[in-house]
Amino acid sequence: MADITSFETLDMEIENVGGKPVVLEALWGGDTRGWSLLLYVYTVSGFSFTKRTTRHFLGHVALPEEMEQFTDGRPSVSFLAEQFGSSASKKYNLTFYFPSPKHADEDCPTWEERHLAITCADCHKLIIPTDSPYLPKDICYDCHLTRERDKELKDDEPCDEGVHMYMCKDGEYEHLGYSTYFDSFTIAPFIDEKVKKRLTKNPVDVVELGREDIIELKCKLEDALSEKLKSYTKPVINERMRKFLITDTIEYKGKDYEITRNSNHEHMEISNFIYSVQTAEKAIAGNYIYKIYFKNGFTYRDDHFLRFIHYVCQGATNIVNINSEHKHILTDTEIMRTLKKLEQVHCVTIYNGEVSITQMGRCLVS
Ligand SMILES: [Zn+2]
């Protein structure tokens, strides 16, 4: 089916279907490649007793190359669909039916299923009620997630999970990895004792590994890797399996290793170890240090505010804007208390009502 990038393409598809178009329908569909916005037309043929309505799939809305994926926080394809719908309504005097223009949502009814639908209590869009026992019946999934997020924000629950690791020199930061727990890093068992000794229990705890630490780490990693490589076996892959397996060739100490990316735990370990050795080599050669960021006593609200300033406001905003964006959930006092806390732990600076994220703040949410 056609990629519909203009009203002309859509119009051609409608003409190809034939019959009298009465409804143009835009519905979201999702698969492993992501969301797509599908267009259908309902046409009427025959008269009185033989009158029949038929639904035809026309294609999916596709963005012209120069267009960004999102416009004002909404998927850009939905703006295109609205333009197409308005042009089609004018030309054919049809009904344009687009139940979820703001968010991609698979739970909306088709035009013919409208009588089975309810109106979401929060955003008022039509939805087929969920049959999941774990989800509320009166709101859509997006509004359910929004309510959950608002509750986390209001309740200010603890949120200390998440450790970031960077390689740094002269104000330059290269992100090496993120893990929910420190123990999940490949290098964790080799630096565990050192890191624990250096933890201070500050609200934001930054443990540094200097040149000598990284040289020692590299030696330990190389020893462990050479043990693992003793039992390395090259994957035997027949043609049928080749379709399902992803392989890579990695060079280490002048030898090539073919690594199966999915389904082989030993190979994934070898790959992670080689990456860790190479990173340590780069750090030693370039005089970088490692910085590992831990949180103690952080909350969802702290984390949310840092992300809001960093991602939504591109690093800087003012208190008036933060208050107005959160007034439906938080009081001005709650907001000010959170900002002061973030200032105390050097994640933001506040000056004359202007709030800016610091390098420390960026390192916690990048
Ligand atoms: Zn809703």
Side-chain angles (χ1 to χ4, degrees), residues 120 122-125 139-140 142-143:
C120 168
D122 287 2
C123 75
H124 312 298
K125 82 181 161 206
I139 50 172
C140 72
D142 273 318
C143 290

Side-chain angles (χ1 to χ4, degrees), residues 173-186:
Y173 284 72
E174 186 179 328
H175 196 227
L176 294 182
Y178 166 85
S179 181
T180 310
Y181 303 105
F182 171 68
D183 293 346
S184 307
F185 284 111
T186 303

Side-chain angles (χ1 to χ4, degrees), residues 164-175 204 206 208 291 293 306 309-310 315 342 345-349 356-366:
H164 287 274
M165 197 178 316
Y166 290 84
M167 192 160 84
C168 321
K169 180 174 74 171
D170 306 330
E172 175 196 334
Y173 284 72
E174 186 179 328
H175 196 227
V204 180
V206 188
E208 294 188 2
K291 282 190 181 182
Y293 289 76
L306 282 184
I309 298 164
H310 183 54
L342 290 172
V345 298
H346 311 294
C347 287
V348 301
T349 55
S356 306
I357 195 162
T358 62
Q359 181 62 51
M360 175 91 94
R362 273 195 291 276
C363 283
L364 292 182
V365 293
S366 288

Side-chain angles (χ1 to χ4, degrees), residues 63-345:
L63 294 179
E65 254 176 40
E66 67 280 4
M67 213 164 162
E68 296 282 335
Q69 292 290 320
F70 286 88
T71 310
D72 298 334
R74 270 175 63 184
S76 305
V77 282
S78 71
F79 285 103
L80 276 188
E82 281 174 338
Q83 286 169 19
F84 301 162
S86 152
S87 302
S89 305
K90 277 187 202 133
K91 178 164 181 184
Y92 295 104
N93 194 27
L94 52 67
T95 302
F96 177 52
Y97 172 66
F98 187 9
S100 183
K102 286 193 182 148
H103 303 110
D105 190 331
E106 260 189 320
D107 299 326
C108 294
T110 64
W111 173 255
E112 288 173 317
E113 289 172 335
R114 289 176 344 274
H115 63 288
L116 302 173
I118 56 159
T119 304
C120 168
D122 287 2
C123 75
H124 312 298
K125 82 181 161 206
L126 285 178
I127 45 161
I128 300 285
T130 173
D131 53 9
S132 164
Y134 307 106
L135 294 171
K137 302 274 183 266
D138 60 332
I139 50 172
C140 72
Y141 189 65
D142 273 318
C143 290
H144 163 64
L145 293 182
T146 305
R147 278 193 192 179
E148 296 274 288
R149 273 197 303 271
D150 288 355
K151 187 176 174 329
E152 280 171 358
L153 213 55
K154 185 76 196 162
D155 294 351
D156 212 12
E157 294 285 333
C159 169
D160 280 333
E161 284 179 358
V163 182
H164 287 274
M165 197 178 316
Y166 290 84
M167 192 160 84
C168 321
K169 180 174 74 171
D170 306 330
E172 175 196 334
Y173 284 72
E174 186 179 328
H175 196 227
L176 294 182
Y178 166 85
S179 181
T180 310
Y181 303 105
F182 171 68
D183 293 346
S184 307
F185 284 111
T186 303
I187 64 172
F190 308 99
I191 53 172
D192 190 43
E193 266 183 47
K194 227 174 241 181
V195 169
K196 275 186 186 145
K197 267 190 212 154
R198 294 179 194 179
L199 280 171
T200 58
K201 289 282 167 200
N202 284 333
V204 180
D205 215 346
V206 188
V207 174
E208 294 188 2
L209 298 180
R211 186 180 169 78
E212 292 310 312
D213 299 318
I214 301 172
I215 291 171
E216 191 187 324
L217 166 67
K218 178 179 159 270
C219 290
K220 287 180 179 173
L221 283 167
E222 282 175 330
D223 289 349
L225 177 57
S226 68
E227 276 307 305
K228 284 184 193 297
L229 288 174
K230 281 181 192 163
S231 53
Y232 165 80
T233 48
K234 196 176 161 140
V236 182
I237 303 168
N238 61 35
E239 276 315 303
R240 197 179 57 80
M241 285 162 66
R242 198 160 282 283
K243 270 195 251 171
F244 306 104
L245 293 175
I246 304 162
T247 62
D248 264 338
T249 302
I250 305 180
E251 197 225 303
Y252 177 67
K253 292 198 186 286
K255 237 180 117 177
D256 282 345
Y257 295 92
E258 194 177 354
I259 300 288
T260 319
R261 285 250 167 250
N262 41 355
S263 79
N264 189 321
H265 177 68
E266 283 78 23
H267 280 192
M268 279 309 295
E269 265 202 348
I270 287 172
S271 166
N272 289 339
F273 267 83
I274 292 176
Y275 168 75
S276 301
V277 171
Q278 287 168 344
T279 307
E281 279 169 352
K282 185 180 165 187
I284 296 161
N287 277 323
Y288 289 88
I289 60 164
Y290 285 7
K291 282 190 181 182
I292 310 165
Y293 289 76
F294 296 86
K295 291 174 283 180
N296 299 301
F298 246 60
T299 66
Y300 279 100
R301 195 186 295 169
D302 303 329
D303 187 71
H304 165 84
F305 273 36
L306 282 184
R307 285 175 196 281
F308 177 76
I309 298 164
H310 183 54
Y311 291 107
V312 182
C313 308
Q314 273 87 47
T317 183
N318 55 58
I319 295 171
V320 176
N321 181 37
I322 298 176
N323 284 345
S324 96
E325 286 290 327
H326 297 86
K327 64 174 183 283
H328 63 296
I329 318 167
L330 301 171
T331 63
D332 290 1
T333 316
E334 285 171 325
I335 291 169
M336 205 53 222
R337 203 187 309 136
T338 307
L339 290 176
K340 282 280 171 206
K341 174 182 170 185
L342 290 172
E343 185 185 35
Q344 268 171 15
V345 298

